[in-house]
Amino acid sequence: MPVSRRRRAARLRAAYTRESLPLAASGIRSSRDSVAFGSGLGLDVCTASQRRMRALLALGLFNHGPSSLWPRRISLADVTRYTLVVSPRYDDLVITTRAPYNVTCWLVGRNDFSEIGLPGLRVERSHEDGWRLRHTPTGATMTVTSDRHGRLQGPADPGSNYSRLWTTDSPVTDDERTTLNSLPQLTADTETLLASLAVRLCTHAPDGSRDIGMWFYDLSGRPDRGTAHHRRLAVDGDQCTLHWDSDPHPEDLRAALTDPVIGLCGTTARPTSDGWLVRYGRVRLLAHPVAWRP
C-alpha cells in the first residue's frame, strides 16, 4: 500500500477506534498491505493464532454475571471497566491504558489468584510502563502499556512484575487445561466473528452518534441502558447467542460489526423481534439486548 494511502487509512481508523495516529498506523502497517478502505482497516487481519486467542478472550469478556457460561469463577469482563484502547495488529493485540497494572492483573493469573485471567496467558517481558504477554497454548502475543502509541519503553525490567504474575516459565496448570478443554469448539468463521467483538470494544462513530463504550459506559451522551452488566455468550457450532442488559445500545453493536468502513467485511445483520441476527460466513449470531432468563 502506498505511503499516502496508508496514512489516510490510519487517520480513518483512528477516527473510529480512539487510537493515536501512530498506534493506528502501526496496525495498518502490520496487516501486510492487505488492508483496503472498506475492509475493517486491519482490525480483523491477523494470524490464525491471534484469531484464536482473541476469540477465547471474547468468551471471557462477554460472559459475566449469574448466567455466565465462562467455566471459571471469575470472568474477564472487569477488564472493560478501565479506560482503554484496543489496537489489533497482524501478529499482536495491543491495549493502551492509564492503568496497565490493573488491566494486566485481570488478564494473567498468579499463585494466590489462579482462577483469574485468560487460561494460558503469561508475562513474557516486564517493562516499567507495561507488559509483553504471550498466550502459550496458541503462541499469540498481547501488549499492555501506558504509552498511548503502544510502545514498551526502555529495557525489559524483571523487577516490574511486582504482582508476581505467572510468566512464560510457568506451565499451563491443570485447572487452565480443564477450562480450555471445556470451552466450545470453534470454527474459523466463529473465531473470526468472536474476535471481531473483542477488537471493537472501543469503536465509535466519528460524529459521536454511537459508541460501544467498552461495554460498560455510553459515551455518546445517551442514558445508560442499565448497571448490572450481565452478559451471556453461548456458542454451539456455527450458532452463537449473545445476551446483555446494559451498554452498548443494540444499534451500536450492529453498526460496529457492519459499518462499511470499520465493520467486519462480509457481515450482514437484520432485525428480529428482540434484537439482531448477525451473519458472517456460515456463522449466525443472535444478539439479544436483554438479560438471559433460564
Side-chain angles (χ1 to χ4, degrees), residues 76-277:
L76 295 170
D78 283 313
V79 168
T80 59
R81 290 183 183 271
Y82 297 95
T83 301
L84 46 83
V85 171
V86 180
S87 179
R89 302 180 183 179
Y90 182 74
D91 55 358
D92 195 15
L93 181 63
V94 178
I95 297 174
T96 68
T97 172
R98 290 174 293 181
Y101 167 76
N102 303 61
V103 169
T104 304
C105 285
W106 280 107
L107 290 171
V108 181
R110 50 199 182 276
N111 286 338
D112 58 349
F113 221 161
S114 60
E115 289 194 13
I116 204 167
L118 180 65
L121 192 62
R122 298 290 188 265
V123 172
E124 184 172 76
R125 294 199 316 268
S126 299
H127 294 254
E128 185 176 350
D129 62 348
W131 287 264
R132 174 66 172 238
L133 311 179
R134 185 171 295 276
H135 188 240
T136 54
T138 62
T141 62
M142 188 183 302
T143 300
V144 183
T145 177
S146 60
D147 182 82
R148 63 187 299 265
H149 301 324
R151 299 167 298 195
L152 289 171
Q153 302 281 24
D157 178 11
S160 70
N161 190 17
Y162 45 85
S163 60
R164 301 191 182 278
L165 302 170
W166 283 333
T167 68
T168 49
D169 294 330
S170 305
V172 177
T173 67
D174 290 341
D175 171 71
E176 290 179 306
R177 193 171 290 107
T178 298
T179 299
L180 291 170
N181 290 338
S182 65
L183 293 175
Q185 296 295 314
L186 305 176
T187 65
D189 280 355
T190 303
E191 285 184 357
T192 298
L193 184 58
L194 297 187
S196 74
L197 293 171
V199 302
R200 286 170 174 76
L201 286 174
C202 313
T203 54
H204 70 132
D207 65 2
S209 60
R210 52 181 169 82
D211 201 312
I212 297 297
M214 287 84 71
W215 284 74
F216 262 98
Y217 313 99
D218 185 84
L219 302 177
S220 62
R222 294 167 298 178
D224 291 341
R225 295 187 61 243
T227 58
H229 303 294
H230 295 158
R231 307 170 198 164
R232 185 178 191 269
L233 175 59
V235 179
D236 183 9
D238 288 327
Q239 304 300 314
C240 306
T241 306
L242 175 62
H243 290 82
W244 75 102
D245 60 0
S246 55
D247 294 313
H249 286 250
E251 170 61 21
D252 294 8
L253 176 61
R254 181 205 64 80
L257 292 173
T258 62
D259 185 273
V261 175
I262 205 69
L264 173 62
C265 188
T267 301
T268 62
R270 65 171 177 82
T272 66
S273 60
D274 58 353
W276 295 91
L277 174 62

